[in-house]
Amino acid sequence: MLHTIKPAEHGPLGDPMVHAVQACVHCGFCLAACPTYHELGQEMDTPRGRIVLMKQVLEGNLAWTAAQPHVDRCLGCLACEPACPSGVPYRDLISPFRALAQPYFKRTPIERLRRWLAARTIPYPGRFRLALRAARVGRWLGPLVPRALRPMLDLAPATVPPAESWAPVTPAHGRRRARVALLSGCAQQVLDPDINTATIDVLTRNGVEVVLPPAQGCCGGLAWHTGDLAAAQAFARRNLDAFPTDVDAILTNAAGCGSAMHEYHLILRGTPDEARADAFRRRVVDVSVFLIRLGLREAPPDSGKRQRIAYHDACHLANAQNVRREPRELLRAIPGVELCEIAEGHLCCGSAGTYNLDQPELAASLGAQKARAAMAALATGFPLRQGSGGQAGLAAPDVVASGNIGCLTQLQAHLAKAGSPVRVRHTMQVLRDAYMDRG
Ligand code: SF4
Ligand code: SF4
């Protein structure tokens, strides 16, 4: 017997989930965009298949555990949203469903331990740095480490860059054109603190005063995407309190963080903070969008070098925030740059938060494909002259640029595995380096 979903039975997140389920007309246009369908070729690992499964669970017609493997395998990449002609807001379904499913999904003790370790370390830079150091010991222990924990060791970088700190306020160079608050991020400031340094440099050169609220914390994205609603709410509230209102925008330079902050109204739906969260998320913008709207004060100088850059669309920028044009425009503003498009750019690189830890085989397959596609894109660019001397046409090293630390880490690992010398850089690092390179 078919039941109808009763939104009220599913708490404050019931309405958005039901709306998403009902909007799907099962046409299947989203299938080709879905990386897990691309990898596994089965209906239950497509957006349409998952929507049907989640609908049945919400109606009480299917056990939570029957949907679990397919819901767990979803990357949350949202490639299904732009592909959907009916405008199904898949994001309003997947994370709320995971939050609701948390008590019912079955996990082994080791899986629970892995999730607990990730949740207790990654959002806290001090702990995360310590955990990465501990991973070196874990690697030395090798086979003694349980199999389910090994992906954590494999992914930990061999070296951790020294910590950097940033002033609470960095004044604009010259006349101030704007004042912004920047999210400093958690994993990013440990894995590559230079991204924040470069972001602040580019903004201040362009007349923007940058505030880093000292009381800010993790965006809450990791907790939200793994079904820990209470933790996501706590992180969101902390940032609502920490960020000033007397700024022109709240900037992020990590796609995953920006996307999570855009969902604060959903995370805090039905709580006294919902309206505040909604106002907050409307002020959140990716740094590339902010710079394009503001306009670069001056283009980077012409160093006389030519460089191929393959731009990788982070899913949480392209799909979740519809940001595709702006980072490309910034890179094209650099004299001598040829931008190369990566084939099948809509396919996720497999990083996707903690997906690398939870679904290591799928993540590795997607990562290897993305690295190959990036290398192929760069290989078809214009021929660059090798040599030294700074003449026009001199080749600078090929680069893959992106706007998300997860993607950058994943791409770097898989390019290295493929033996490629290509460098992986955040868009802000490429831009900052171009400003400083006078040939
Ligand atoms: S394209 Fe949209 S409406 Fe069609 S099956 Fe996919 S989610 Fe449903
Ligand atoms: S979010 Fe990504 S992996 Fe999940 S159903 Fe949509 S396209 Fe597939």
Side-chain angles (χ1 to χ4, degrees):
M1 182 186 127
L2 265 186
H3 300 268
T4 51
I5 308 171
K6 297 194 179 81
E9 286 176 7
H10 303 299
L13 295 172
D15 274 331
M17 284 194 293
V18 169
H19 172 252
V21 163
Q22 288 175 343
C24 177
V25 296
H26 309 289
C27 64
F29 280 113
C30 54
L31 269 59
C34 177
T36 55
Y37 183 58
H38 185 265
E39 288 295 295
L40 304 167
Q42 30 184 48
E43 174 67 19
M44 288 304 120
D45 287 303
T46 69
R48 180 174 66 184
R50 292 188 175 106
I51 290 170
V52 168
L53 287 172
M54 289 189 267
K55 175 178 185 285
Q56 289 181 339
V57 171
L58 294 172
E59 286 173 342
N61 288 327
L62 188 71
W64 292 88
T65 46
Q68 180 175 347
H70 311 289
V71 171
D72 275 354
R73 280 200 283 267
C74 174
L75 290 135
C77 67
L78 301 180
C80 41
E81 283 198 2
C84 173
S86 302
V88 171
Y90 185 80
R91 70 186 77 189
D92 290 357
L93 180 59
I94 185 69
S95 295
F97 186 87
R98 282 176 168 159
L100 215 60
Q102 186 83 322
Y104 308 109
F105 277 6
K106 298 271 180 283
R107 307 211 182 273
T108 64
I110 284 289
E111 282 169 348
R112 282 205 295 275
L113 174 64
R114 194 184 60 225
R115 286 177 158 247
W116 184 88
L117 283 172
R120 296 295 180 282
T121 53
I122 297 172
Y124 307 94
R127 293 185 206 170
F128 188 40
R129 193 169 283 111
L130 275 178
L132 292 178
R133 293 204 179 111
R136 279 189 227 155
V137 181
R139 267 200 289 264
W140 180 72
L141 291 172
L144 294 176
V145 176
R147 195 178 148 77
L149 294 183
R150 279 184 225 153
M152 299 185 98
L153 307 181
D154 295 343
L155 288 171
T159 53
V160 183
E164 290 182 30
S165 60
W166 306 278
V169 179
T170 309
H173 293 195
R175 184 182 64 82
R176 190 176 93 179
R177 302 164 72 205
R179 183 168 186 266
V180 300
L182 177 68
L183 181 87
S184 51
C186 46
Q188 176 177 277
Q189 66 169 284
V190 176
L191 293 169
D192 195 350
D194 181 60
I195 293 173
N196 281 347
T197 303
T199 302
I200 294 168
D201 184 274
V202 170
L203 286 166
T204 52
R205 277 174 193 275
N206 281 284
V208 183
E209 182 172 292
V210 183
V211 178
L212 263 90
Q216 65 173 300
C218 167
C219 67
L222 189 148
W224 177 230
H225 295 135
T226 52
D228 190 346
L229 180 61
Q233 289 181 333
F235 283 123
R237 283 198 184 96
R238 176 176 171 170
N239 285 331
L240 292 188
D241 293 339
F243 277 79
T245 50
D246 61 340
V247 289
D248 298 304
I250 295 165
L251 299 194
T252 58
N253 55 9
C257 304
S259 158
M261 290 169 98
H262 277 287
E263 292 184 22
Y264 274 6
H265 65 304
L266 202 56
I267 293 173
L268 290 165
R269 190 177 162 88
T271 75
D273 294 308
E274 183 179 346
R276 207 158 63 105
D278 194 40
F280 181 95
R281 62 131 186 168
R282 291 172 193 281
R283 297 165 58 223
V284 174
V285 63
D286 186 75
V287 61
S288 63
V289 176
F290 183 83
L291 279 167
I292 288 295
R293 282 185 194 155
L294 183 72
L296 293 182
R297 185 181 261 168
E298 57 184 44
D302 187 352
S303 66
K305 292 178 189 150
R306 302 183 75 197
Q307 185 172 39
R308 284 183 293 235
I309 299 181
Y311 178 74
H312 162 66
D313 276 309
C315 299
H316 283 100
L317 259 190
N319 303 328
Q321 300 180 63
N322 196 24
V323 175
R324 296 177 177 83
R325 175 180 60 85
E326 293 86 348
R328 288 176 169 83
E329 265 188 40
L330 290 174
L331 294 170
R332 278 199 197 97
I334 302 170
V337 159
E338 186 203 11
L339 214 51
C340 309
E341 287 299 324
I342 300 177
E344 298 208 276
H346 66 281
L347 284 180
C348 176
C349 68
S351 171
T354 54
Y355 197 82
N356 253 326
L357 306 176
D358 299 328
Q359 306 285 342
E361 290 86 12
L362 279 174
S365 172
L366 290 167
Q369 287 173 59
K370 187 62 75 179
R372 281 197 299 272
M375 286 154 61
L378 290 164
T380 56
F382 57 68
L384 298 175
R385 273 179 34 215
Q386 304 296 326
S388 59
Q391 317 94 314
L394 177 71
D398 286 351
V399 161
V400 177
S402 193
N404 191 49
I405 185 65
C407 308
L408 296 172
T409 310
Q410 173 85 332
L411 281 162
Q412 188 69 76
H414 285 280
L415 284 165
K417 260 187 204 161
S420 167
V422 169
R423 296 181 76 200
V424 177
R425 308 285 278 162
H426 191 283
T427 309
M428 289 301 113
Q429 291 175 307
V430 178
L431 205 52
R432 183 268 320 269
D433 293 353
Y435 274 119
M436 294 176 77
D437 187 357
R438 295 185 179 269

